[in-house]
Amino acid sequence: MRARGLWALLAALRAGWCLLPQAGYLHPDEFFQSPEVMAGDILNLQVYYPWEFLSSSPCRTIVFPLMTSGVTYWVIKSLQQLDICSSCINSYTLLVSPRLLFTVFSFILDYSVYRLAPFWEVDPWKALVLLAGSYVTLVFYTRTFTNTLEGLFFALLMVLVSSRKSDGSLVGSTSSPLIGIITTAGFFNRPTFLAFALMPLLYWAGLIVDSQKSIKTVINHFSKLVLCASFTAIVFVTADTFYFTSMDLDNLYSIKKNSLFDVISQLNEKMIVTPFNFLSYNLNPHNLALHGSHPRVTHFTVNGIMLFGVLHILAIGAGIKTLKEYIHQLIRVRSFCHGSSGLSVHSEGSPTLLLFYFVPLAFLSLFSHQEPRFLIPLILPLVLFSTSQNRAVKWRHVITIFNVLGALLFGCLHQGGLIPCLCHLEQLMHSPESSNHPRHYTLLFAHTYMPPRSLLNIKKKDTHIKVIDMAGSEEEILCQTVEQQANNFTCHDCHVFVIIPGTVRATITKCRVSFKNETLIFPHLSMEDPPQIPFLFSGNWRSQLGLYILQVDRDQQHL
């Protein structure tokens, strides 16, 4: 009963913190792989389209952005058009509505744990508490990452392949088509899903072969899987092809006046299979180097610990122990003497769950670009493994402190000033005073993550607002750009704002410009420009953990 109440409390925290909302900014992909694109397509807002969604280099399917962020934006757009909500479209709803949908989806993880726990002889409520209390669930699974969807597909796949009766027989014959659909959908969402799907599919195939005496029945199962997978792939390819060639189709109808047959022929010539484009790009080491190269052991030695803490270490220890046991058995040829059939899900160490965890980890480690979020789907087998035999119980205090710190770091501190900054600027630019007297705004961002333009709520037809992203520009280039904007005499009613972390605030003071207003947004932690430890113990510590909005004094510049 206590575990149930604790899970309910953590579930409420997950939903409530989403609505608050969370200020931490994990990675640009949480915006630029879904909400930013849909805000431009559906709400007609000024956005930045990432290269993966350009027709010249389509590497991401449009299906899931449409089904997630697209649906939520269509809803708030419809509510505003129907005058049910006069100002439904604002920075808060643009941020929270897609996140809220993903938060609802995140409970698929909880459902999966509840379904899988009895199968793996695990206490379901203890496993649910461990899952819901993880900062990975609280933070990463409430964000609009493709990795989040990948984790949900992995969870559903594990449920399907583990669906057996108490006597060991398979439950129904409906799992084969669903497995085919989910595997294909996961592949189109992220081709790396194949690394996660490999062990569940092999496990399912083994169950099918062992439980069926007729070869005809076995073939029937695999035929259903392949047929449904193929149909799902056709749906994705068709949707992506229509989306990425929509401009060409408009030209076909409006300029060439071609027939429907000509349009279909054009589509066949431009058939777009986004996963193949994704793989073609990412299998090139030069392309991966552009996004950052890491040692091959980064996932094992850094990212796993960063996400899962002591649970990852326990899994490594158990994996080494299990591997030693199997090597010892092979040396003594005991497996042949005792007729061992291989891995047993109920044996000490739960080797099958360890394989579900380490096989994807090993495949992902083959690539040089390794980010922590790539591993978030692995939380499910890790939670089940850690709960079995009460492995995590004696570490519960360490686990609690680790997750509290992780939630604060990534949910609040990490780039935590940028989203509130964009919301503040959106309110400023859409204030009654600005609406009655249109002004020109130039927003210059430096040494921050890429700002999602959609949160500024600027219509494409509005040309009086300009966003300049300087990323991590050097001091000379930064000052040159700021001075150029400050001395733009062709614009008489221009307001120039510079957004910069407190850790590089001194850089701006070296530029030949003056400021008349400054706003400090706290907290904001930039790992690219981290604060100096001595300053954190000085009276100026808030500045080191803040983000500044500086308004250029153009009147002073003109004197």
Side-chain angles (χ1 to χ4, degrees):
M1 186 63 69
R2 180 183 176 185
R4 295 187 184 190
L6 185 54
W7 173 81
L9 183 63
L10 291 169
L13 174 63
R14 193 189 316 175
W17 201 10
C18 169
L19 295 171
L20 194 58
Q22 290 184 23
Y25 185 171
L26 298 177
H27 190 279
D29 282 356
E30 69 175 285
F31 291 101
F32 293 93
Q33 287 185 358
S34 182
E36 186 83 353
V37 177
M38 290 297 99
D41 290 349
I42 294 177
L43 301 179
N44 201 34
L45 298 180
Q46 287 187 28
V47 298
Y48 176 83
Y49 284 94
W51 63 271
E52 299 103 318
F53 287 94
L54 299 179
S55 58
S56 58
S57 55
C59 290
R60 301 281 182 186
T61 181
I62 199 61
V63 173
F64 291 113
L66 280 170
M67 293 174 63
T68 54
S69 301
V71 169
T72 59
Y73 287 162
W74 177 82
V75 169
I76 61 175
K77 179 182 179 180
S78 300
L79 290 175
Q80 183 159 304
Q81 289 177 339
L82 295 171
D83 289 330
I84 297 175
C85 177
S86 58
S87 57
C88 278
I89 303 175
N90 54 61
S91 58
Y92 176 80
T93 57
L94 290 169
L95 173 68
V96 171
S97 57
R99 284 186 179 181
L100 183 60
L101 183 62
F102 271 71
T103 300
V104 173
F105 286 163
S106 73
F107 286 94
I108 293 175
L109 278 180
D110 303 71
Y111 166 79
S112 300
V113 166
Y114 188 79
R115 283 284 308 275
L116 289 167
F119 181 81
W120 299 101
E121 296 188 345
V122 171
D123 185 300
W125 291 106
K126 288 182 180 179
L128 282 170
V129 169
L130 189 60
L131 173 75
S134 170
Y135 86 87
V136 173
T137 305
L138 287 169
V139 179
F140 282 85
Y141 272 93
T142 59
R143 304 298 181 91
T144 49
F145 284 119
T146 55
N147 309 92
T148 304
L149 295 176
E150 188 173 42
L152 300 180
F153 284 130
F154 183 46
L156 291 174
L157 195 58
M158 283 192 64
V159 170
L160 289 173
V161 303
S162 304
S163 297
R164 290 195 296 171
K165 298 177 182 178
S166 58
D167 60 358
S169 60
L170 291 173
V171 178
S173 59
T174 59
S175 60
S176 302
L178 290 176
I179 289 172
I181 292 171
I182 288 175
T183 303
T184 305
F187 175 67
F188 273 83
N189 174 61
R190 285 185 67 86
T192 54
F193 181 70
L194 293 183
F196 296 97
L198 177 62
M199 276 308 301
L201 289 177
L202 290 177
Y203 183 74
W204 172 81
L207 292 178
I208 291 291
V209 174
D210 291 342
S211 62
Q212 301 297 331
K213 298 180 180 179
S214 169
I215 187 66
K216 182 178 180 181
T217 307
V218 173
I219 294 175
N220 183 45
H221 277 287
F222 285 99
S223 298
K224 289 180 180 179
L225 185 148
V226 172
L227 183 63
C228 290
S230 301
F231 176 78
T232 306
I234 292 172
V235 172
F236 276 90
V237 170
T238 302
D240 291 336
T241 301
F242 269 105
Y243 177 81
F244 288 109
T245 60
S246 59
M247 186 176 299
D248 295 332
L249 287 177
D250 291 340
N251 292 336
L252 281 172
Y253 279 119
S254 60
I255 300 176
K256 297 182 179 180
K257 303 295 182 182
N258 285 359
S259 65
L260 180 61
F261 177 79
D262 295 324
V263 174
I264 294 174
S265 299
Q266 185 78 2
L267 278 175
N268 288 330
E269 293 176 4
K270 297 186 176 182
M271 194 68 69
I272 293 173
V273 186
T274 53
F276 292 163
N277 296 338
F278 178 95
L279 290 171
S280 176
Y281 179 87
N282 285 280
L283 289 176
N284 187 330
H286 175 71
N287 292 335
L288 285 182
L290 298 175
H291 301 275
S293 294
H294 309 91
R296 294 297 197 278
V297 295
T298 301
H299 279 325
F300 277 97
T301 59
V302 179
N303 295 340
I305 296 175
M306 185 186 300
L307 290 175
F308 309 121
V310 70
L311 301 185
H312 178 71
I313 297 173
L314 290 174
I316 291 178
I320 293 174
K321 180 181 177 181
T322 303
L323 188 60
K324 286 181 178 180
E325 290 177 354
Y326 277 147
I327 292 175
H328 184 64
Q329 289 179 14
L330 287 174
I331 293 174
R332 299 182 59 180
V333 203
R334 289 179 60 184
S335 59
F336 294 99
C337 296
H338 297 283
S340 174
S341 59
L343 293 178
S344 171
V345 299
H346 303 298
S347 64
E348 184 178 355
S350 303
T352 305
L353 282 175
L354 287 174
L355 286 174
F356 281 4
Y357 182 74
F358 282 115
V359 168
L361 191 60
F363 272 103
L364 293 176
S365 297
L366 297 176
F367 298 92
S368 61
H369 182 58
Q370 301 185 16
E371 296 182 27
R373 61 190 172 94
F374 295 167
L375 302 184
I376 66 172
L378 297 177
I379 190 173
L380 182 58
L382 186 60
V383 161
L384 292 171
F385 171 79
S386 302
T387 310
S388 63
Q389 301 181 20
N390 292 320
R391 290 183 178 88
V393 172
K394 64 180 180 180
W395 297 96
R396 60 184 181 276
H397 298 300
V398 175
I399 293 170
T400 300
I401 295 172
F402 171 80
N403 284 311
V404 169
L405 293 177
L408 290 175
L409 174 61
F410 293 104
C412 299
L413 290 174
H414 189 259
Q415 293 285 327
L418 187 56
I419 302 304
C421 164
L422 292 168
C423 295
H424 172 79
L425 292 172
E426 188 260 350
Q427 294 175 1
L428 175 67
M429 293 184 297
H430 292 84
S431 64
E433 182 181 356
S434 298
S435 300
N436 296 333
H437 304 283
R439 302 170 178 176
H440 291 269
Y441 291 92
T442 299
L443 310 177
L444 193 150
F445 294 83
H447 293 267
T448 68
Y449 274 4
M450 187 186 303
R453 277 75 160 170
S454 58
L455 296 184
L456 294 171
N457 192 20
I458 311 167
K459 292 294 183 182
K460 288 181 178 179
K461 62 182 180 181
D462 295 337
T463 58
H464 63 284
I465 300 174
K466 180 168 64 172
V467 177
I468 303 175
D469 182 14
M470 298 295 295
S473 299
E474 298 293 333
E475 178 182 324
E476 181 180 354
I477 298 175
L478 178 59
C479 285
Q480 181 181 352
T481 306
V482 172
E483 293 167 8
Q484 181 182 1
Q485 297 300 321
N487 297 316
N488 183 8
F489 299 106
T490 59
C491 183
H492 300 288
D493 192 20
C494 288
H495 297 264
V496 180
F497 292 89
V498 178
I499 296 90
I500 193 167
T503 50
V504 289
R505 170 75 169 81
T507 302
I508 289 295
T509 60
K510 300 177 183 179
C511 303
R512 293 174 294 181
V513 295
S514 58
F515 302 98
K516 60 181 179 181
N517 292 312
E518 67 176 46
T519 302
L520 176 64
I521 297 180
F522 176 87
H524 178 90
L525 175 62
S526 173
M527 301 305 292
E528 288 72 26
D529 299 286
Q532 300 179 23
I533 301 299
F535 283 106
L536 294 179
F537 296 95
S538 66
N540 197 33
W541 66 274
R542 283 179 60 88
S543 173
Q544 290 288 301
L545 290 174
L547 183 70
Y548 279 94
I549 305 176
L550 307 173
Q551 184 175 5
V552 175
D553 188 355
R554 300 186 73 251
D555 295 333
Q556 185 71 24
Q557 297 298 119
H558 293 168
L559 294 179

